[in-house]
Amino acid sequence: IPLLCRALAMSKRPLLLFASPWTAPAWMRSNGDVRGKGTLKGKAGDKYHKTWANYFIKFLDEYAKHNVTFWAVTAQNEPLAGLFTPPQAPTIAFTAAQQRDFIAQDLGPALARSPHRTRLLMLDDQRIHLPHWAKVVLGNATAARYVAGLAVHWYLDAIVPPGCSLEATHKLFPDHFLLYTEACTGFFMFR
């Protein structure tokens, strides 16, 4: 928070910050641990999903107390990585349908009721999952009204051409923006 406050004070224009969660607390997860393969317990609309959505609001509330606001949050960082993650990595696995239901029933309404004008981004994973993921989530009118855009990672870009993923998704859902949110070089050890 002190570093963000210094950056905000030095910036000539507002900074657009976004946040992306890695995992819920262990007591909310199917495997009872913040690490490894696991999902949120239960299903969308239940006490675990509502509580996890309220964690997002509490996070935004606490940062706002320090005059730090977030332009956007993502529903989950790399939701499909949770199915393949090494045992020590913190993550929550979501399918597209699970993310759709969490957004429609829990996270979207919680953000809409909150005083925060924070936008909601979906996917936050490899673009190889497009346009399927977008069709599942944004094909639901309730979920779609809460989602501002799609967060995309670039690690597997060589596998799927942009026309088959980004362009196809944009044509299907032109009112939702596409934003690269995570990338690095050196991901493949042989390069």
Side-chain angles (χ1 to χ4, degrees):
I1 291 173
L3 290 175
L4 285 173
C5 289
R6 285 178 55 199
L8 289 164
M10 293 169 53
S11 180
K12 294 184 185 336
R13 58 185 177 179
L15 296 179
L16 300 177
L17 303 174
F18 85 94
S20 185
W22 280 86
T23 188
W27 67 270
M28 297 175 68
R29 290 176 35 104
S30 62
N31 67 346
D33 194 332
V34 297
R35 298 162 299 176
K37 295 178 179 82
T39 62
L40 283 177
K41 289 180 181 175
K43 60 183 183 174
D46 71 9
K47 66 180 181 178
Y48 296 104
H49 287 72
K50 297 251 182 263
T51 300
W52 183 229
N54 288 331
Y55 265 68
F56 283 74
I57 306 309
K58 184 69 171 172
F59 169 86
L60 296 170
D61 290 344
E62 292 302 313
Y63 273 83
K65 289 178 184 176
H66 299 278
N67 295 317
V68 176
T69 59
F70 285 81
W71 167 74
V73 294
T74 69
Q76 175 60 40
N77 181 60
E78 295 188 352
L80 286 178
L83 301 174
F84 311 106
T85 188
Q88 70 276 15
T91 187
I92 301 174
F94 275 102
T95 64
Q98 289 168 326
Q99 189 173 83
R100 173 199 64 212
D101 296 346
F102 175 57
I103 288 170
Q105 296 179 42
D106 305 298
L107 185 55
L111 280 169
R113 285 189 308 269
S114 81
H116 307 287
R117 298 302 73 175
T118 305
R119 296 170 185 223
L120 178 57
L121 308 181
M122 56 163 276
L123 184 58
D124 207 14
D125 209 330
Q126 310 308 316
R127 81 169 192 213
I128 196 169
H129 305 303
L130 296 174
H132 167 74
W133 200 279
K135 288 178 184 178
V136 172
V137 178
L138 299 177
N140 177 285
T142 303
R145 79 168 184 246
Y146 294 119
V147 174
L150 292 84
V152 183
H153 298 185
W154 79 349
Y155 303 109
L156 303 176
D157 277 8
I159 296 172
V160 176
C164 296
S165 56
L166 299 176
E167 187 176 340
T169 302
H170 176 67
K171 285 180 180 177
L172 289 169
F173 304 101
D175 295 333
H176 292 81
F177 61 84
L178 295 151
L179 177 69
Y180 271 116
T181 56
E182 183 179 322
C184 72
T185 58
F187 172 68
F188 292 112
M189 300 304 260
F190 57 84
R191 289 176 138 172

